[in-house]
């Protein structure tokens, strides 16, 4: 969000040109944006899905799960404004490529979501219980869509992720503590950054992991990142301003004295020579 979703845009452009484009067979793309607060979630879409489509089936599954667990889920429609300098939501990057997508967020509007640009994303601003609830909600909704399940087939049992596959809330809290304890500025994220290493290690347990590094175009970069994150600050102790005034006054007095001496110097020399001449005559 801070850099107009440049990572998402570059990734879409890179995989679109490849032979094994993973987006070619994507049923629906769900982008997550700020799901750590709020009593419910908002589904932001650029175009309302039509009935009997995959997008409509995904949203129907999410609505069904939300109703089953007593969570409020609201669909918000906002058209893409190409005249705007920045994208309002991440899913707009996919929608521009005609890929059905939506963004889940507790923000009801992109105007209120501008606070996400702040770097004050401290641990206290995220409720781990709400994050766990939303993750469980998404897992249930996606599973119901993938396995074509509904309340008609399951009855009142919506909780598929229980028992050995239940959600580990302690693990989620640990990850939140880890993310918020490490600086994640773009200039600091290198190949050995602890967040990237931790994510690769965790994801490699369940799926192949490929790191995709995007470098800015030197000729026409969208953003410029300055890689100098450490600098030495030098502070000098100087005299107060009154010292300069006193010094200027002393210099002015000295120059006036020299100027006066130069003016009267011929008179002094003439008198001295006149006195010397009288002493010689006497």
């Amino acid at each position: 969000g801070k850099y107009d979703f440049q990572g998402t845009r570059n990734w879409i452009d890179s995989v679109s040109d490849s032979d094994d484009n993973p987006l070619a067979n994507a049923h629906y793309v769900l982008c997550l944006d700020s799901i750590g607060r709020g009593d419910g979630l908002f589904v932001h879409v650029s175009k309302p899905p039509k009935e009997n489509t995959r997008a409509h089936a995904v949203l129907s599954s999410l609505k069904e799960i939300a109703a089953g667990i007593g969570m409020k889920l609201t669909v918000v429609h906002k058209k893409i404004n190409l005249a705007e300098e920045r994208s309002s939501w991440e899913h707009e990057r996919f929608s521009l490529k005609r890929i059905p997508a939506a963004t889940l967020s507790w923000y009801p509007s992109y105007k209120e979501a501008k606070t996400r640009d702040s770097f004050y994303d401290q641990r206290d601003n995220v409720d781990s219980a709400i994050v766990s609830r939303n993750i469980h909600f998404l897992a249930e909704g996606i599973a119901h869509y993938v396995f074509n399940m509904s309340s008609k087939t399951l009855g009142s049992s919506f909780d598929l992720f229980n028992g050995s596959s239940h959600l580990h809330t302690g693990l989620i809290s640990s990850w939140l503590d880890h993310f918020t304890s490490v600086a994640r500025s773009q200039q600091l994220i290198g190949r050995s950054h602890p967040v990237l290493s931790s994510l690769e290690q965790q994801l490699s347990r369940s799926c192949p992991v490929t790191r995709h590094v995007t470098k800015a175009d030197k000729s026409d970069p969208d953003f410029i990142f300055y890689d100098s994150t450490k600098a030495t600050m030098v502070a000098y102790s100087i005299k107060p301003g009154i010292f300069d005034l006193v010094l200027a006054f002393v210099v002015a007095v000295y120059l006036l004295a020299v100027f006066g001496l130069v003016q009267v110097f011929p008179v002094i020399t003439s008198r001295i020579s006149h006195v010397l001449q009288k002493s010689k005559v006497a």
Side-chain angles (χ1 to χ4, degrees):
K2 295 182 177 65
Y3 307 110
D4 198 20
F5 309 105
Q6 291 297 313
T8 301
R9 190 195 72 175
N10 293 329
W11 180 75
I12 294 174
D13 293 340
S14 62
V15 299
S16 298
D17 299 333
S18 61
D19 297 332
D20 53 344
N21 182 6
L23 296 175
N25 299 320
H27 289 200
Y28 203 62
V29 178
L30 283 176
C31 305
L32 305 182
D33 188 319
S34 305
I35 61 172
R37 287 189 288 176
D39 298 329
L41 288 176
F42 294 88
V43 183
H44 298 275
V45 295
S46 300
K47 184 178 181 181
K50 298 181 180 179
E51 294 186 1
N52 301 324
T53 60
R54 292 174 176 177
H56 185 269
V58 173
L59 292 182
S60 298
S61 297
L62 294 177
K63 290 180 179 179
E64 191 174 57
I65 297 300
I69 63 177
M71 189 183 77
K72 185 178 180 181
L73 187 69
T74 306
V75 178
V76 180
H77 171 224
K78 176 190 174 298
K79 294 183 179 180
I80 300 177
N81 187 1
L82 298 177
E84 293 182 352
E85 295 181 358
R86 300 179 60 181
S87 302
S88 301
W89 299 103
E90 186 177 6
H91 73 268
E92 294 182 357
R93 291 295 185 183
F94 295 92
S95 299
L96 290 174
K97 298 292 184 179
R98 299 187 180 278
I99 301 172
T103 298
L104 285 172
S105 176
W106 76 273
Y107 287 111
S109 171
Y110 74 98
K111 296 180 179 179
E112 299 182 23
K114 289 183 177 180
T115 55
R116 66 192 172 190
D117 293 344
S118 173
F119 60 87
Y120 292 107
D121 51 350
Q122 300 177 358
R123 178 66 175 85
D124 298 337
N125 296 331
V126 180
D127 191 335
S128 57
I130 294 179
V131 174
S132 301
R133 181 204 65 187
N134 291 335
I135 293 176
H136 183 264
F137 156 72
L138 287 171
E140 293 286 346
I142 295 174
H144 279 64
Y145 168 75
V146 172
F147 298 106
N148 194 21
M149 297 178 177
S150 64
S151 58
K152 297 179 180 180
T153 58
L154 294 177
S156 59
S157 178
F158 284 90
D159 195 0
L160 297 179
F161 292 91
N162 52 22
S164 60
S165 60
H166 74 283
L167 193 64
H168 296 275
T169 56
L171 180 62
I172 295 176
S173 298
S174 299
W175 273 103
L176 290 175
D177 294 337
H178 176 59
F179 281 137
T180 54
S181 63
V182 181
R184 284 160 286 123
S185 175
Q186 183 64 38
Q187 294 87 342
L188 298 175
I189 299 180
R191 294 185 177 275
S192 60
H193 194 272
V195 170
L196 293 181
S197 301
S198 301
L199 287 175
E200 286 182 353
Q201 183 179 3
Q202 185 68 25
L203 292 174
S204 61
R205 298 178 181 178
S206 56
C207 62
V209 178
T210 301
R211 178 180 292 190
H212 182 78
V213 181
T214 301
K215 294 183 179 180
D217 187 3
K218 295 182 179 180
S219 59
D220 187 19
D222 296 311
F223 296 94
I224 299 177
F225 299 108
Y226 298 94
D227 54 1
S228 179
T229 57
K230 294 183 180 180
T232 302
M233 179 178 292
V234 180
Y236 295 94
S237 179
I238 61 175
K239 301 294 183 180
I242 190 66
F243 175 79
D244 296 335
L245 294 177
V246 173
L247 181 62
F249 177 75
V250 172
V251 172
V253 172
Y254 172 76
L255 293 177
L256 288 175
V258 172
F259 178 77
L261 182 61
V262 171
Q263 293 293 326
V264 300
F265 185 75
V267 178
I268 296 175
T269 53
S270 63
R271 288 185 178 181
I272 293 175
S273 61
H274 181 69
V275 171
L276 292 177
Q277 289 178 357
K278 285 184 176 182
S279 62
K280 288 181 180 180
V281 172

